[in-house]
Amino acid sequence: MGASQSGRVPEFQDLADKTGFSIEQMKNLHNRFMYLTQDEDTLRREHLENMTDLALNPIRRQIIEAFFDTRNMGEKEKGCLQEIGFEEFVTVLAFFKPPKPHIAEEERKTIKKEKLRFLFNMHDTDNDGVITLDEYKRVVEELLSSTETIGAETAKAISDAAMLEVASETVGRMGPDEFYEGITFEQFMQILKDIEIETKMSVHFWNLETMHCGK
Amino acid sequence: MSNSTYLCLRAVFLVCFIHLLIQGLSADANVVQSPRNRLEPNLTGLPIVTFEWHHVQTPYLVIIWIFVAALAKLSVIELNHHVTSVIPESGMLIIVGFILGGMVWGADKAQTFKLLPTTFFFYLLPQIILDASYFMPNKLFFSNLGAILIYAIFGTCWNAATVGLSLWGCYEAGAMGNLDIGLLQFLLFGSLISAVDPVAVIAVFEEVHVNEVLFILVFGESLLNDGVTVVLYNVFDAFVALGGPRIDATEIFKGIFSFVVVAFGGSFLGVVFAILLSLLTRCTKHIQIIEAGFVFVMGYLAYLTAEMLSLSAILSITFCGVCCQKYVNSNMDEKSVTTVRHAMKVLANGSETMIFLFLGITAIDTEIWVWNTGFILLTLLFMFIYRIIGVFLFTWMLNKFRLVPIEVIDQVVMSYGGLRGAVAYGLAAMLDKEKIPEKNLMISTTLIVVYFTVIIQGITMKPLVQWLKVKRAAHSDLKLVEKVNNRAFDHILAAVEDICGRIGDNWWTRGWNRFEEKYICRILMKPKVRKNKDYLFNIFHKLNLEDAMNYVSEGERQGSLAFIRSDEAANIDFKKQYDSEFADVMPDIMGDMSNYEFGIENVSITSIVKDTIPSISRDIHGQDRKNAVDDINAHHLLQQHLYRSRKHHRHKYSRSHFGINQSEYEVQEIFQRTMRSRLESFKSAKMGVNPAKKITKHHKKDLTHQMSNGHPEGKDHLYGDEAGIENPAFMPDMESPTHSPPWLMETEMDMAVAPSQRAQRRLPWTPNRMRRLAPMRISTCSTDSFLMADVSLTLEEHEEQPQGDNEEM
């Protein structure tokens, strides 16, 4: 793989600039990508679903979907890609980069918005711009699905309550004929503005040892 | 002058009076206590009443001092509003201690009441530590454990070494004049003065409310550094005893090894006791009345056992509390949990008060004071400087590894927050005068250091925090959305780490969680509890409970619980007919009601309903058990009316669109029957419009009723309306004290609205009616829109309202 790797370095550079990873991290990620796809060029859903660790995760479906969601690639339309290349892989992972410690307030806000957008897209599966009760309920159900006894009732109750909360905070009073569609992105941001999402939703990307690099 | 000033003046007078009383009584306190013969040897006649001071002397003095301490706290609190929101409570208590000490000194010319090390370490300190660890936010603690350990271990060693060596250097340079001290003694002094004190940290930081990461770092450090302090103290104490020449590499190596043994041994012992405690609470189903006591007993045992084995007692009791909290809180009955929480707070507060009071009193004693300007000032200076250097140094190292770096401002606060307190004084007082001739100098210095940190640093902490714009703790409870999202984050991050193939923090957390779920919970938790211990599910459960309680108590207040009390026949009908339907619809917990197995639900509801029956029996639970038969009926009724599933409803949040569920006609019979009777009482109960801000509560409250009607969805009342009131259901770590239940703040308006929905289900509604309601719903429209739509009984409420309006106007 030596020859082909050296050819990729300029690619990495572009991607690294775009996403903010370092070259070292890009190399590691590339190795990981190769491992996941078993040396093919594109990653498909089956590759991710076959990971045993991920199987135990209650919301794996949505996370896997997130990787194949075109909205996270910067496009407006929701589309479901069947397979993604390395570039898309890294783009999605870039959402989880921790912010650099000394960055300007503006940049921090942008990062925060991007991460919130990612989360929002995860919830809003039909891409109508709002998270409706059904969509939220699905997420809650999956979150609770790891414990056997949780029934649909609980999920529904909790998601009802959550929606209620969001509405009461963001919309305030509504006229009698108004129809509360669901949570819009602005409301989502408003609700979650207190959580420091730029730091909470981050994973260490340094020292990314590819453990299963079985070459 | 206001009321509270009078009150505190009165308190002060009372304190002085009691004090003089004690002085008078204990004038012969130094006399050897005579044996219990009540009669004088030369008796002339039959004494009717005798004055037996010696008989009761010791316990009397103890109790009087506790009483005085409580009064002192009362007067301090009263003062605090006006003058001294500036000085922290602990500082005020020390000052009151000065005054009291002065009075005792004036009466006795000797300080008869001192803070003895044994009293402090055995009777006053353990409950504070147990309280701190029992309420420790575990997740935060363990995720920052690395940083905490670095500060605790290396930070303390650094402080001890540098302060000791610097002081020795200055001594050699002659800055302190002539003292009988050697290097080892300086090191010993350094080790006892370097420990950050948990009592002082809690006392000062509690009023400042910094952000949680900063708090947990300082606080965790203060708890865990005891391991190091004890080791260093004992090692240097032994070295001093051994003398300089006999110390060689072996001894030093033994010293380092002893650290490992003491620290890890203490922690391990704590964990063992935590396991024992959890197992105990698992089996205490039938003696729920005393199971709360086990927590205290086992905690104290952990402390004393570690002390006996010369391990670190504070570490032991810390880990006992930290590890057992989850299991104990799940296993024990809810009332016991509340009992434990309150009792612990009482004990801890009381101890803290006494400690600071006595720290003040102890100062007024001419025997101990040795003033050496150089020593004292240099100690203060070095302590300060080396703390700052140490914190910045270690944080710089830590930030290379942390995901969220610790900011500079937080570091400043951390270094300023290195408060010394009573532990340092206790250790100083335990020094052996023979071996350490300058013991009094050390005690004096320690006291000055403690006063400086607690009073001066305490006063300046708040302004400093404000001036530096430190991130403060979030005041509001986490909203439900945030909690769900937090839960989602854990999974998302774990998934991303999996995809990246990295074993990260989340991997460990997840691995531990899985291990814990599979093995530990099986052993330590009651089987019934294990099923329901999912965090979000607990929220659901608590909210259900609250709904039910609201419903029942509201009904009781309104006097419309007739439908519960009467008509057994109706119940039985329903039960037969709809039993199966209810069974599969009911969430697990409600299903438990039939077995009278001390389900939490049973006791809570019955205790609320039967609240007014006074009972002098100590077995409160026994009382509840007697009411079982009535309870069954009440429960089935609640089953039918409250927890009726809404699974048939379509979910659309709209006031204008809703769908009536076809299959619900079959249960309309039930509702109509009962609601008809209730409607009568409600027509009269319709009250005037309540002030605007209450409407929020109402509507959310009555939405709760709607919800409780069939399905416990009405979580709204819990967070929306009680601005500033703690919401126990959403406290993740169950730290909140019970607050006055929401329904106690409601007014009659609620009940007037709620039942009407059920009653008038079939009334047609028009947009006109709804518009008329709009002005009433000043701030709750949004909430209405969901639950209204979701409940197919939307209309009724609107129906009732206009009529209500009509009748008022």
Side-chain angles (χ1 to χ4, degrees):
Chain A
M1 273 201 58
S4 57
Q5 268 205 332
S6 58
R8 287 181 201 259
V9 172
E11 276 174 39
F12 285 4
Q13 192 60 50
D14 292 335
L15 276 179
D17 293 334
K18 199 172 85 167
T19 55
F21 285 119
S22 71
I23 298 291
E24 198 53 45
Q25 291 168 337
M26 294 296 282
K27 286 210 189 111
N28 285 335
L29 286 173
H30 186 79
N31 286 341
R32 182 68 187 166
F33 185 75
M34 284 292 132
Y35 171 71
L36 283 177
T37 63
Q38 274 120 31
D39 280 337
E40 297 176 30
D41 274 332
T42 54
L43 186 71
R44 287 194 298 279
R45 279 194 183 79
E46 302 83 63
H47 293 135
L48 287 179
E49 279 162 14
N50 287 339
M51 291 176 58
T52 45
D53 285 334
L54 208 53
L56 297 169
N57 196 315
I59 49 175
R60 70 180 173 287
R61 208 169 43 85
Q62 271 138 345
I63 296 177
I64 295 179
E65 278 307 312
F67 272 90
F68 293 91
D69 190 343
T70 48
R71 283 177 296 172
N72 291 332
M73 316 295 174
E75 306 190 23
K76 286 298 164 206
E77 272 312 304
K78 169 164 171 108
C80 257
L81 299 176
Q82 285 311 310
E83 45 189 29
I84 57 173
F86 181 58
E87 186 175 336
E88 287 86 21
F89 184 68
V90 173
T91 315
V92 173
L93 283 180
F95 280 106
F96 291 92
K97 246 181 76 62
K100 294 200 197 25
H102 308 289
I103 54 177
E105 190 59 35
E106 274 314 301
E107 212 184 313
R108 189 181 286 272
K109 278 205 192 117
T110 339
I111 292 184
K112 192 162 174 164
K113 192 165 178 186
E114 282 171 10
K115 298 201 187 206
L116 280 174
R117 186 87 222 171
F118 181 81
L119 267 187
F120 189 79
N121 289 343
M122 252 182 64
H123 284 68
D124 183 18
T125 44
D126 58 359
N127 197 28
D128 53 0
V130 285
I131 304 179
T132 59
L133 177 65
D134 276 335
E135 290 167 349
Y136 202 74
K137 192 161 72 77
R138 223 171 295 139
V139 176
V140 174
E141 268 172 10
E142 301 212 337
L143 274 182
L144 295 175
S145 61
S146 53
T147 51
E148 326 77 41
T149 58
I150 307 298
E153 305 301 326
T154 321
K156 212 184 88 44
I158 295 181
S159 32
D160 285 348
M163 296 286 278
L164 200 56
E165 199 179 52
V166 173
S168 60
E169 258 197 52
T170 54
V171 180
R173 66 173 292 201
M174 281 170 48
D177 281 337
E178 273 179 41
F179 178 30
Y180 188 71
E181 300 266 352
I183 310 177
T184 65
F185 184 54
E186 282 66 37
Q187 294 170 355
F188 195 69
M189 277 207 304
Q190 192 181 341
I191 289 283
L192 294 182
K193 71 178 179 322
D194 288 330
I195 298 185
E196 295 207 343
I197 202 172
E198 61 267 17
T199 44
K200 266 209 165 141
M201 197 171 118
S202 325
V203 174
H204 270 302
F205 280 109
W206 54 266
N207 202 17
L208 200 58
E209 286 305 318
T210 54
M211 315 167 337
H212 306 289
C213 196
K215 310 269 184 279
Chain B
M1 294 256 263
S2 64
N3 220 2
S4 56
T5 326
Y6 277 131
L7 189 58
C8 79
L9 277 180
R10 259 181 281 158
V12 168
F13 282 139
L14 195 53
V15 167
C16 297
F17 170 70
I18 293 179
H19 218 95
L20 292 174
L21 184 67
I22 300 174
Q23 295 318 304
L25 288 176
S26 60
D28 31 311
N30 297 324
V31 175
V32 170
Q33 220 173 349
S34 53
R36 277 191 70 164
N37 49 345
R38 307 175 77 115
L39 302 177
E40 296 293 321
N42 41 351
L43 200 59
T44 47
L46 177 70
I48 300 177
V49 177
T50 53
F51 182 71
E52 299 292 336
W53 169 245
H54 295 300
H55 211 48
V56 297
Q57 179 181 348
T58 320
Y60 204 91
L61 283 176
V62 169
I63 288 292
I64 280 285
W65 271 111
I66 296 179
F67 182 54
V68 167
L71 278 182
K73 178 144 187 151
L74 176 67
S75 55
V76 161
I77 296 277
E78 287 295 324
L79 269 184
N80 228 354
H81 298 312
H82 300 283
V83 177
T84 51
S85 54
V86 170
I87 309 184
E89 218 174 274
S90 40
M92 289 297 301
L93 281 171
I94 293 188
I95 296 178
V96 174
F98 287 151
I99 300 176
L100 285 179
M103 293 199 302
V104 175
W105 175 258
D108 267 359
K109 296 289 176 271
Q111 190 55 259
T112 36
F113 300 107
K114 288 204 279 205
L115 183 62
L116 299 172
T118 35
T119 318
F120 172 67
F121 279 116
F122 286 163
Y123 302 115
L124 293 177
L125 187 62
Q127 47 265 45
I128 299 183
I129 309 289
L130 184 62
D131 169 67
S133 60
Y134 193 77
F135 291 103
M136 175 88 75
N138 268 357
K139 192 154 181 232
L140 198 59
F141 180 67
F142 283 112
S143 58
N144 286 305
L145 190 61
I148 293 177
L149 281 175
I150 297 275
Y151 287 122
I153 301 179
F154 295 109
T156 314
C157 287
W158 159 266
N159 275 335
T162 51
V163 170
L165 287 173
S166 312
L167 282 177
W168 179 65
C170 289
Y171 172 68
E172 293 295 324
M176 296 177 205
N178 256 343
L179 295 171
D180 186 2
I181 291 193
L183 168 64
L184 283 173
Q185 299 182 23
F186 272 117
L187 285 174
L188 178 58
F189 179 69
S191 68
L192 71 89
I193 201 82
S194 65
V196 178
D197 183 71
V199 182
V201 163
I202 299 179
V204 171
F205 272 81
E206 165 175 63
E207 311 189 359
V208 179
H209 299 298
V210 294
N211 66 69
E212 48 185 24
V213 174
L214 176 57
F215 176 72
I216 201 73
L217 286 176
V218 180
F219 183 56
E221 180 197 344
S222 70
L223 278 181
L224 296 189
N225 70 12
D226 179 68
V228 180
T229 311
V230 160
V231 172
L232 284 179
Y233 182 83
N234 286 335
V235 162
F236 284 122
D237 203 31
F239 281 179
V240 165
L242 281 179
R246 292 231 285 266
I247 300 174
D248 53 1
T250 330
E251 304 294 333
I252 298 186
F253 178 68
K254 276 205 266 184
I256 299 180
F257 184 64
S258 77
F259 163 69
V260 174
V261 169
V262 164
F264 287 102
S267 320
F268 178 69
L269 194 62
V271 172
V272 164
F273 273 96
I275 294 178
L276 279 177
L277 180 57
S278 316
L279 284 175
L280 265 176
T281 49
R282 186 183 164 167
C283 313
T284 54
K285 203 164 63 173
H286 298 286
I287 47 162
Q288 284 182 342
I289 194 64
I290 62 167
E291 69 181 344
F294 278 122
V295 177
F296 296 97
V297 166
M298 295 302 277
Y300 197 43
L301 266 182
Y303 187 87
L304 289 179
T305 314
E307 190 70 35
M308 174 178 75
L309 298 173
S310 78
L311 302 173
S312 164
I314 293 187
L315 277 183
S316 167
I317 203 173
T318 302
F319 277 97
C320 180
V322 158
C323 296
C324 81
Q325 44 164 273
K326 176 175 168 188
Y327 308 107
V328 163
N329 282 337
S330 332
N331 281 344
M332 290 202 301
D333 180 50
E334 271 185 19
K335 282 190 191 161
S336 303
V337 171
T338 314
T339 309
V340 167
R341 268 192 254 152
H342 284 286
M344 230 186 253
K345 288 294 175 193
V346 169
L347 285 176
N349 263 303
S351 285
E352 192 184 306
T353 310
M354 293 199 67
I355 290 179
F356 283 116
L357 198 66
F358 272 98
L359 270 181
I361 293 178
T362 322
I364 314 296
D365 185 358
T366 48
E367 287 178 2
I368 61 169
W369 284 99
V370 177
W371 186 270
N372 182 324
T373 322
F375 192 84
I376 295 178
L377 287 180
L378 283 173
T379 309
L380 279 176
L381 182 70
F382 286 137
M383 199 190 70
F384 216 64
I385 295 184
Y386 286 119
R387 169 91 185 152
I388 299 180
I389 297 180
V391 166
F392 276 84
L393 180 69
F394 290 114
T395 315
W396 175 75
M397 293 198 310
L398 273 175
N399 276 345
K400 294 197 193 288
F401 298 96
R402 276 177 71 91
L403 188 57
V404 181
I406 304 173
E407 300 175 19
V408 173
I409 292 185
D410 285 349
Q411 293 172 37
V412 170
V413 178
M414 247 199 299
S415 35
Y416 199 66
L419 309 173
R420 274 55 168 183
V423 174
Y425 170 74
L427 288 175
M430 285 200 321
L431 290 172
D432 188 346
K433 190 94 193 244
E434 313 292 316
K435 288 187 278 182
I436 303 174
E438 295 293 338
K439 170 178 171 182
N440 281 336
L441 175 60
M442 293 190 182
I443 293 187
S444 317
T445 317
T446 313
L447 279 177
I448 301 264
V449 166
V450 169
Y451 296 146
F452 182 80
T453 55
V454 173
I455 301 183
I456 310 251
Q457 281 184 255
I459 295 179
T460 49
M461 181 72 81
K462 221 184 208 169
L464 183 76
V465 162
Q466 280 165 354
W467 178 56
L468 289 179
K469 302 199 190 49
V470 176
K471 260 186 294 211
R472 312 297 286 268
H475 285 289
S476 54
D477 298 325
L478 276 188
K479 311 178 202 91
L480 188 55
V481 177
E482 285 174 344
K483 288 186 201 232
V484 172
N485 270 310
N486 276 344
R487 186 44 79 83
F489 282 152
D490 296 337
H491 293 302
I492 294 177
L493 292 180
V496 171
E497 281 190 357
D498 282 337
I499 294 179
C500 296
R502 179 179 180 266
I503 299 186
D505 305 322
N506 290 297
W507 189 90
W508 287 110
T509 320
R510 217 180 357 137
W512 165 252
N513 281 340
R514 253 176 245 151
F515 170 72
E516 194 210 1
E517 249 175 70
K518 269 175 76 177
Y519 301 109
I520 301 185
C521 288
R522 195 160 293 170
I523 305 177
L524 295 180
M525 275 195 187
K526 287 185 184 150
K528 194 162 62 112
V529 178
R530 256 178 56 223
K531 283 191 300 185
N532 302 332
K533 65 177 171 47
D534 182 74
Y535 161 71
L536 284 176
F537 185 74
N538 277 340
I539 297 180
F540 178 64
H541 169 60
K542 277 183 214 148
L543 297 175
N544 279 352
L545 267 184
E546 295 228 19
D547 289 347
M549 294 198 292
N550 291 348
Y551 182 76
V552 172
S553 70
E554 265 303 308
E556 206 166 34
R557 254 178 4 107
Q558 294 301 316
S560 62
L561 256 192
F563 75 100
I564 284 189
R565 295 228 170 86
S566 65
D567 224 349
E568 320 292 308
N571 298 348
I572 300 174
D573 279 340
F574 301 154
K575 188 170 179 357
K576 269 195 303 212
Q577 191 175 0
Y578 300 105
D579 197 18
S580 52
E581 191 172 324
F582 293 134
D584 70 333
V585 141
M586 228 38 71
D588 248 1
I589 32 171
M590 293 306 152
D592 267 343
M593 284 201 183
S594 42
N595 348 332
Y596 269 76
E597 281 285 277
F598 275 102
I600 293 173
E601 313 80 8
N602 290 350
V603 179
S604 311
I605 295 179
T606 55
S607 60
I608 295 286
V609 171
K610 313 279 179 194
D611 212 332
T612 50
I613 304 175
S615 151
I616 52 169
S617 133
R618 270 182 284 155
D619 188 8
I620 308 178
H621 297 271
Q623 287 279 344
D624 289 340
R625 240 175 291 154
K626 283 185 221 133
N627 302 316
V629 177
D630 293 327
D631 294 349
I632 296 180
N633 294 328
H635 284 311
H636 288 318
L637 257 173
L638 286 175
Q639 273 184 336
Q640 293 144 20
H641 296 280
L642 296 188
Y643 299 97
R644 195 67 192 92
S645 156
R646 299 231 153 242
K647 62 184 176 182
H648 304 295
H649 288 275
R650 272 185 296 133
H651 308 294
K652 252 201 175 182
Y653 289 110
S654 165
R655 275 165 149 237
S656 44
H657 309 283
F658 69 101
I660 294 190
N661 190 1
Q662 309 309 320
S663 57
E664 270 213 337
Y665 282 107
E666 58 192 356
V667 294
Q668 283 175 9
E669 270 282 88
I670 310 169
F671 292 129
Q672 279 182 10
R673 224 188 304 180
T674 48
M675 285 317 133
R676 213 167 288 140
S677 54
R678 299 186 65 189
L679 233 199
E680 310 318 316
S681 51
F682 284 116
K683 285 213 168 100
S684 53
K686 267 177 267 172
M687 289 299 150
V689 184
N690 291 292
K693 61 176 185 284
K694 289 246 173 177
I695 289 188
T696 318
K697 295 184 187 179
H698 294 322
H699 292 288
K700 295 195 174 169
K701 188 72 252 309
D702 62 49
L703 289 172
T704 309
H705 288 311
Q706 298 173 31
M707 291 312 102
S708 340
N709 190 7
H711 183 72
E713 304 175 31
K715 314 303 173 292
D716 45 343
H717 71 286
L718 287 173
Y719 40 81
D721 52 0
E722 293 141 27
I725 299 176
E726 300 228 357
N727 183 349
F730 288 147
M731 286 277 171
D733 291 332
M734 287 175 75
E735 318 173 303
S736 66
T738 50
H739 69 298
S740 69
W743 62 84
L744 287 182
M745 295 177 288
E746 306 298 340
T747 66
E748 317 82 57
M749 190 63 164
D750 301 335
M751 278 321 280
V753 182
S756 58
Q757 312 158 10
R758 290 185 222 112
Q760 307 181 22
R761 295 186 72 239
R762 302 227 211 117
L763 286 176
W765 65 278
T766 66
N768 278 337
R769 291 206 184 183
M770 291 186 63
R771 289 231 175 76
R772 283 187 63 198
L773 290 174
M776 293 279 287
R777 313 209 169 227
I778 296 183
S779 48
T780 60
C781 297
S782 54
T783 67
D784 291 345
S785 62
F786 296 145
L787 297 177
M788 297 304 208
D790 205 49
V791 177
S792 73
L793 313 168
T794 310
L795 334 165
E796 290 67 54
E797 183 164 0
H798 304 318
E799 298 333 292
E800 194 60 6
Q801 285 292 9
Q803 292 181 20
D805 292 349
N806 283 336
E807 291 193 8
E808 298 143 22
M809 303 183 235

